[in-house]
């Protein structure tokens, strides 16, 4: 197994410190905006303008196709849900990154309707609950947790954000795809650079994008020669049934695109979400003790963390024809921002929504999305967090926040959230 998993590599801090990540992405927001967003939501569920413009914050554009288009933002649960469930009126194609010669760049994430359904059906078996609980757990997650916990046992204190949460998902996804664990940070760094993160000059961006593709195409070639029991081999064997076309396998480019999406979605989300769950539990020690004593509560604790603060705060859709949302007229071609964390703290749906409380009545939230694009990796993310949090609870029954450090808080950009740090005492 990879040595990088436990190494003191400075790249962990460069890539997996929430504040540094946001600064590199140029969307860091220093002041907490929760109250200002709540005031806007109380005024109206949908506003004309981007949320950042309404909060007087600098704009941050993730989607090149959205540049220059009229913008709206949805802040209530009902408005966000209505958009997420209606891909005829509100299209995901806005997330496409135009690339010369590339019809698609973001795999299933940028598709709608029957095309999306067909590709999603092809990928779905890899992520079914049973596969997450058995194949992913036995193949990659449990071994990674075991080694990380053994590493922590050599210490009395730790920053669980950097020493634990950062490492488990990126090593799981890298090795599950079929790469060596030692490639985990190289791949993530190249991906971040390819998106221009960290003020990378354009030629370096292009080289990084090619590096990401080259890594995955080389893996596809290797598995064509010698198949293995991993995600890339299963993607290569997946059957695609597009309406009106004969059933076929995915092309190498389609395998590469969706493998890249899976690597990126898996290597940068569960990290922050596991940290948010730990922050919620450790800041409420009586809830931590209850979950420690009864591990069947872990899924509730994880779902409440995704409700309380989803690490992925913003998704966008393109308006496909003139329409109204919550009484606001939106012209065809405009962009609607869906602020999941505003929706998940909608007081018309949750009492004291600002509190982390896994005991609250279970109702749908939007932390993993909803509708056609609901997180495909949800079961895997759950299993990583169940194994990861359970492994910590088994090994360190007295785990607590380190009183020698300031209390951790949620930080980052509005678009991606995570804990400032997770300094703990282990023994
Ligand atoms: C706790 C961690 C995670 C959170 C909060 C999260 C959240 C989300 C959300 C909100 C969406 C919906 C996007 C939209 O509606 O446009 C989504 C989609 C997706 N997620 Fe996750 N995700 C997480 C972990 C993962 C993991 C571990 C994987 C892969 C192993 C993954 C793979 C995907 C993929 C492939 C999609 C696109 C699905 C589609 O377009 O049909 N996610 N995720």
């Amino acid at each position: 197994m990879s040595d990088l998993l436990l190494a003191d590599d400075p790249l962990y801090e460069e890539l997996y410190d929430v504040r540094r990540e946001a600064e590199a992405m140029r969307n860091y927001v220093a002041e907490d905006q929760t109250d200002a967003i709540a005031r806007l939501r109380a005024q109206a569920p949908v506003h004309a303008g981007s949320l950042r413009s309404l909060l007087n914050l600098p704009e941050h554009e993730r989607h090149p196709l959205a540049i220059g288009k009229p913008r709206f933002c949805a802040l209530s649960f009902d408005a966000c849900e209505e958009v997420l469930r209606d891909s005829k009126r509100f299209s995901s194609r806005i997330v496409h990154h135009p690339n010369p010669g590339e019809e698609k760049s973001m795999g299933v994430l940028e598709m709608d309707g029957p095309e999306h359904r067909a590709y999603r059906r092809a990928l779905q078996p890899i992520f079914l609950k049973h596969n997450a609980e058995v194949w992913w757990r036995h193949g990659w997650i449990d071994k990674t947790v075991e080694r990380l916990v053994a590493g922590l046992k050599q210490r009395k204190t730790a920053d669980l954000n950097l020493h634990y949460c950062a490492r488990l998902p990126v090593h799981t996804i890298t090795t599950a795809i079929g790469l060596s664990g030692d490639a985990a940070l190289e791949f993530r760094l190249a991906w971040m650079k390819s998106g221009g993160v960290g003020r990378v000059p354009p030629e370096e961006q292009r080289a990084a994008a090619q590096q990401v593709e080259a890594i995955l195409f080389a893996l596809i070639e290797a598995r064509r020669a010698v198949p293995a029991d991993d995600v890339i081999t299963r993607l290569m064997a997946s059957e695609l049934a597009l309406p009106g076309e004969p059933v076929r396998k995915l092309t190498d480019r389609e395998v590469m695109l969706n493998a890249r999406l899976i690597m990126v979605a898996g290597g940068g989300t569960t990290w922050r979400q596991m940290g948010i769950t730990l922050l919620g539990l450790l800041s409420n020690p009586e809830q931590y003790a209850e979950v420690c004593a009864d591990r069947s509560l872990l899924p509730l604790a994880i779902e409440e963390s995704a409700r309380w603060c989803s690490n992925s705060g913003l998704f966008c859709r393109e308006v496909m024809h003139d329409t109204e949302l919550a009484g606001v007229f939106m012209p065809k071609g405009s962009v609607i921002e869906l602020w999941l964390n505003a929706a998940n703290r909608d007081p018309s749906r949750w009492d004291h929504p600002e509190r982390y409380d896994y005991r609250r009545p279970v109702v749908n939230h939007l932390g993993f999305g909803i509708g056609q694009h609901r997180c495909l990796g949800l079961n895997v993310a759950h299993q990583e967090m169940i194994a990861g949090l359970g492994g910590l609870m088994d090994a360190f029954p007295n785990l607590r926040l380190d009183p020698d450090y300031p209390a951790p808080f949620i930080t980052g950009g509005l678009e991606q959230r995570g804990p400032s740090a997770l300094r703990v005492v282990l023994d």
Side-chain angles (χ1 to χ4, degrees):
M1 230 196 198
S2 133
D3 289 335
L4 182 66
L5 182 63
L6 298 176
D8 252 341
D9 192 312
L11 267 183
Y12 281 116
E13 205 159 335
E14 190 177 327
L15 295 171
Y16 287 100
D17 174 283
V18 175
R19 178 177 174 163
R20 279 182 67 171
E21 183 203 35
E23 283 170 346
M25 290 168 78
R26 280 162 280 173
N27 69 353
Y28 176 62
V29 176
E31 269 184 39
D32 185 26
Q33 301 293 326
T34 313
D35 291 346
I37 294 172
R39 277 194 297 275
L40 283 170
R41 188 187 47 225
Q43 281 162 20
V46 175
H47 293 255
S50 72
L51 180 60
R52 278 179 169 265
S53 70
L54 296 169
L55 295 171
N56 292 318
L57 294 170
E59 291 293 351
H60 172 74
E61 188 49 79
R62 289 195 296 188
H63 306 308
L65 292 181
I67 293 169
K69 301 209 158 133
R71 272 188 114 88
F72 295 83
C73 62
L75 303 177
S76 74
F77 180 89
D78 288 346
C80 288
E81 185 188 28
E82 185 176 334
V83 174
L84 286 166
R85 287 195 186 278
D86 188 348
S87 67
K88 282 205 175 109
R89 263 199 304 162
F90 304 103
S91 166
S92 290
R93 69 184 194 181
I94 197 72
V95 308
H96 175 66
H97 275 244
N99 236 350
E102 255 192 14
E103 199 195 325
K104 291 278 187 298
S105 59
M106 297 302 288
V108 279
L109 197 62
E110 69 191 285
M111 297 175 184
D112 297 312
E115 183 189 40
H116 173 260
R117 263 195 300 284
Y119 279 90
R120 180 138 173 151
R121 257 192 220 125
L123 309 185
Q124 194 102 48
I126 299 172
F127 299 97
L128 292 176
K129 193 159 187 251
H130 175 76
N131 273 336
E133 287 170 350
V134 178
W135 192 60
W136 287 80
R137 279 292 287 266
H138 295 172
W140 301 282
I141 299 172
D142 289 349
K143 292 177 204 160
T144 313
V145 167
E146 224 169 87
R147 278 200 73 208
L148 283 171
V149 166
L152 286 180
K153 282 197 168 153
Q154 311 301 314
R155 318 173 62 106
K156 288 197 175 331
T157 61
D159 176 356
L160 289 182
N161 176 53
L162 285 180
H163 292 123
Y164 198 71
C165 301
R167 298 173 190 234
L168 172 57
V170 74
H171 281 268
T172 297
I173 207 73
T174 308
T175 50
I177 269 286
L179 295 168
S180 141
D182 286 325
L185 298 183
E186 179 198 351
F187 186 94
R188 183 119 194 115
L189 183 65
W191 166 256
M192 298 296 268
K193 278 189 177 171
S194 73
V197 173
R199 299 184 171 80
V200 177
E203 60 289 1
E204 221 179 292
Q205 264 185 53
R206 272 193 297 278
Q210 280 162 5
Q211 187 190 354
V212 166
E213 293 194 8
I215 292 173
L216 291 171
F217 278 131
L219 180 63
I220 292 168
E221 209 178 304
R223 290 300 183 269
R224 177 147 301 119
V226 186
D229 191 17
D230 55 22
V231 172
I232 204 91
T233 307
R234 289 198 180 188
L235 283 173
M236 290 164 71
S238 299
E239 304 237 298
L240 177 69
L242 282 166
E245 290 185 19
V247 176
R248 64 164 171 89
K249 299 267 192 281
L250 298 178
T251 63
D252 283 2
R253 175 148 285 274
E254 288 167 340
V255 171
M256 185 282 290
L257 283 180
N258 286 293
R260 190 173 73 185
L261 173 67
I262 291 164
M263 291 273 292
V264 171
T269 49
T270 318
W271 148 54
R272 293 192 228 99
Q273 202 65 50
M274 187 153 63
I276 292 168
T277 315
L278 275 165
L279 177 55
L281 286 172
L282 293 173
S283 314
N284 294 281
E286 71 303 336
Q287 294 190 46
Y288 183 75
E290 286 169 18
V291 177
C292 252
D294 179 358
R295 302 299 166 74
S296 71
L297 299 172
L298 270 170
L300 287 179
I302 290 163
E303 282 296 309
E304 170 63 355
S305 103
R307 195 248 2 129
W308 183 54
C309 178
S310 178
N311 79 90
S312 306
L314 172 66
F315 288 88
C316 291
R317 297 290 191 265
E318 183 177 335
V319 178
M320 296 307 282
H321 51 81
D322 289 2
T323 191
E324 264 192 22
L325 181 68
V328 176
F329 173 76
M330 294 187 295
K332 176 181 175 185
S334 48
V335 174
I336 173 91
E337 302 174 346
L338 309 169
W339 289 95
L340 304 189
N341 284 325
N344 282 341
R345 291 192 181 195
D346 188 332
S348 68
R349 198 168 169 86
W350 289 279
D351 291 334
H352 301 291
E354 71 294 347
R355 289 187 196 155
Y356 176 87
D357 182 0
Y358 78 82
R359 311 170 192 111
R360 64 172 73 244
V362 175
V363 290
N364 279 345
H365 61 78
L366 304 181
F368 287 100
I370 211 162
Q372 299 90 325
H373 288 272
R374 184 160 195 243
C375 180
L376 186 63
L378 184 146
N379 294 319
V380 172
H382 257 247
Q383 287 308 314
E384 285 181 282
M385 289 189 269
I386 289 171
L389 298 169
L392 282 179
M393 289 171 175
D394 288 342
F396 309 107
N398 296 320
L399 185 77
R400 61 206 178 276
L401 290 175
D402 190 336
D404 289 342
Y405 286 90
F409 53 92
I410 303 283
T411 186
L414 298 180
E415 297 78 4
Q416 79 288 338
R417 312 289 288 152
S420 52
L422 281 170
R423 304 258 179 202
V424 294
V425 179
L426 292 164
D427 59 4

